[in-house]
Amino acid sequence: MSATLRQDGDRVVVTLCGELDLDAEAVLREAVGQALRRSRTGVDLDMARIAFWDCSALNVLLDLRCAARRDGKTLTVRAAGPAVTRLLELTGTGPLFLPGGDGLPPDAAGSPADAGGEAPAPGGRAGGITDTARGN
């Protein structure tokens, strides 16, 4: 799993690539946590290039979503591949990661896969965090 952070106005975009499972939990928590600390309004996740995603990683994102909301920020899914869309649909958590994050039914606000456009080309180093704003 790799994560790339990029500033986008008041928000930080985190592009995730690879597999999000128990082994990737620490990298995921650090990348999104770092992005939340740097952003003014929240974080957008680009998960279009996630090949596998399990409930342990979903739980990390749910915890981080709660932390973001306590700070008056949001955590949204900007782009989602099939593995991400499937888990969000199966667990009913998709609406929590839509813009607004108010838990509206998917038909009221669109599906997580519709939350963004094309994903950028994969970036970053395997197994780590790449911060494009800082050049590392």
Side-chain angles (χ1 to χ4, degrees):
M1 201 281 291
S2 67
T4 303
L5 282 63
R6 146 178 93 73
Q7 197 73 37
D8 186 13
D10 289 344
R11 302 183 68 75
V12 174
V13 176
V14 178
T15 302
L16 301 168
C17 299
E19 297 184 354
L20 290 178
D21 55 17
L22 189 58
D23 293 335
E25 207 173 286
V27 173
L28 176 63
R29 188 175 297 279
E30 174 59 27
V32 178
Q34 187 180 118
L36 282 168
R37 289 187 296 277
R38 286 187 23 204
S39 74
R40 223 163 56 138
T41 61
V43 172
D44 295 319
L45 301 172
D46 179 341
M47 301 177 74
R49 291 198 164 60
I50 295 298
F52 174 80
W53 188 29
D54 71 11
C55 288
S56 65
L58 175 59
N59 284 330
V60 169
L61 290 183
L62 289 169
D63 287 346
L64 290 165
R65 179 185 174 276
C66 289
R69 290 178 59 89
R70 281 192 300 272
D71 291 340
K73 299 177 182 182
T74 60
L75 181 62
T76 63
V77 174
R78 175 183 278 199
V84 172
T85 301
R86 181 167 165 34
L87 186 60
L88 291 174
E89 287 174 357
L90 287 172
T91 60
T93 56
L96 300 175
F97 294 100
L98 290 172
D102 51 12
L104 291 173
D107 60 311
S111 72
D114 294 335
E118 290 294 313
R125 299 172 299 220
I129 302 168
T130 301
D131 186 341
T132 58
R134 297 181 186 188
N136 60 7

